[in-house]
Amino acid sequence: MVDVLDNKRTATRFRILVQIAERQPAVSQGEIAEEVGVTSQAVSEYIRELVDDGLVEKEGRSRYRVTNEGVDWLFRTADDVRRFADHITGDILGAMSEAAYIATDDIEEGDTVTLSVKNGLLHASPGSKGPATGVATTDAEAGTDVGVTSFEGVMDLEPGSVTVLQIPAVRTGGSRAADSELVAEQCADADLVVAAGVEAVVACRQDGAEPTVTLAAGEVAAEGAKRGLDVTAVATTNEVGRVTDTLRDADVSYEVLEG
């Protein structure tokens, strides 16, 4: 965070110096106080500090002028604020105002599209039949990515579920002690299978289910459930707590089964 935005005192100092630069040389501390939202006494103290720091020089009673050093500090600070604002408007808000979807059919720029989530991914279909719509910002062939903006409505999305399947640690039998039928059933029924721990990965593979991910299982499971997927998280006993803690922190419901 830019210091002038992160630190209230620095922000007030910046605003008062701007006011002095705008009003110099005749400076009314009362007017500055009203503009900045602090007391006249506080303005007086800030100006005294600015003078001591060489950013402002006093020319007489109620007469002040910003020094060259003060002008340089204003430029540097304003430039930091500008870059931060550019980051917000360009990177953050820009990303929020346009998003990429998978086109289910050929789409032309300017078409109204219906938005949906399928298999955890955003899709756009020609027409406006669904509860959530947008406007295509690019041409796209079926199966390719298309830009969408001007969103309206809310997409129908039922949260998925997470089943955490606990596998014994190697010292208590590991994958060999796992309930292979239960592992196979839970993995076959899931839209997404993740695994945490070597014993869990081996248990999945022994029952013909290759985990989609074997790292950050809790985070992936939580994200998948939020996107409407039913997830099976196979976890070794000493990894179960990490997975369930992550799900709980993400406010995702889950059940734990002994595998």
Side-chain angles (χ1 to χ4, degrees):
M1 175 71 75
V2 179
D3 187 51
V4 72
L5 300 177
D6 194 41
N7 185 295
K8 183 177 180 181
R9 185 169 187 82
T10 303
T12 303
R13 178 184 174 97
F14 175 76
R15 294 183 64 191
I16 289 175
L17 190 55
V18 169
Q19 290 296 318
I20 294 173
E22 184 176 3
R23 300 167 187 273
Q24 65 183 16
V27 174
S28 167
Q29 295 185 11
E31 291 177 357
I32 293 178
E34 183 176 350
E35 184 71 26
V36 176
V38 297
T39 65
S40 294
Q41 181 180 357
V43 172
S44 179
E45 293 174 357
Y46 273 101
I47 290 178
R48 188 181 306 114
E49 289 181 4
L50 291 169
V51 171
D52 292 342
D53 292 340
L55 303 182
V56 170
E57 60 183 8
K58 186 174 183 178
E59 296 182 342
R61 183 175 177 81
S62 297
R63 294 179 68 83
Y64 299 90
R65 191 176 297 277
V66 178
T67 64
N68 290 336
E69 291 79 6
V71 172
D72 288 342
W73 187 80
L74 281 176
F75 268 119
R76 289 196 305 271
T77 305
D79 195 51
D80 287 343
V81 174
R82 179 190 58 76
R83 286 198 297 271
F84 186 69
D86 288 345
H87 167 63
I88 293 173
T89 57
D91 299 334
I92 299 177
L93 296 181
M96 291 175 63
S97 63
E98 182 177 15
Y101 286 70
I102 297 174
T104 63
D105 205 338
D106 292 349
I107 294 173
E108 293 184 1
E109 180 181 352
D111 284 353
T112 298
V113 292
T114 293
L115 310 176
S116 60
V117 178
K118 301 176 182 177
N119 298 321
L121 295 173
L122 299 170
H123 286 73
S125 304
S128 56
K129 296 180 180 179
T133 62
V135 176
T137 59
T138 61
D139 295 334
E141 295 180 355
T144 65
D145 52 314
V146 60
V148 178
T149 189
S150 301
F151 306 102
E152 293 185 5
V154 178
M155 281 186 286
D156 285 332
L157 179 61
E158 287 291 330
S161 62
V162 179
T163 299
V164 181
L165 193 57
Q166 183 170 287
I167 302 299
V170 68
R171 65 180 176 275
T172 56
S175 62
R176 292 178 295 279
D179 184 336
S180 60
E181 287 188 11
L182 182 60
V183 173
E185 176 187 343
Q186 292 297 323
C187 291
D189 290 342
D191 298 315
L192 173 67
V193 177
V194 301
V198 170
E199 300 93 330
V201 173
V202 174
C204 289
R205 289 174 175 172
Q206 285 178 343
D207 293 300
E210 182 66 32
T212 303
V213 296
T214 58
L215 298 173
E219 289 82 351
V220 174
E223 185 64 25
K226 288 181 178 179
R227 290 173 177 256
L229 300 180
D230 290 330
V231 184
T232 292
V234 186
T236 308
T237 300
N238 57 4
E239 295 287 342
V240 168
R242 295 189 183 93
V243 173
T244 55
D245 284 348
T246 301
L247 296 173
R248 196 160 42 247
D249 290 344
D251 197 25
V252 171
S253 62
Y254 62 90
E255 65 171 339
V256 178
L257 300 179
E258 294 288 340

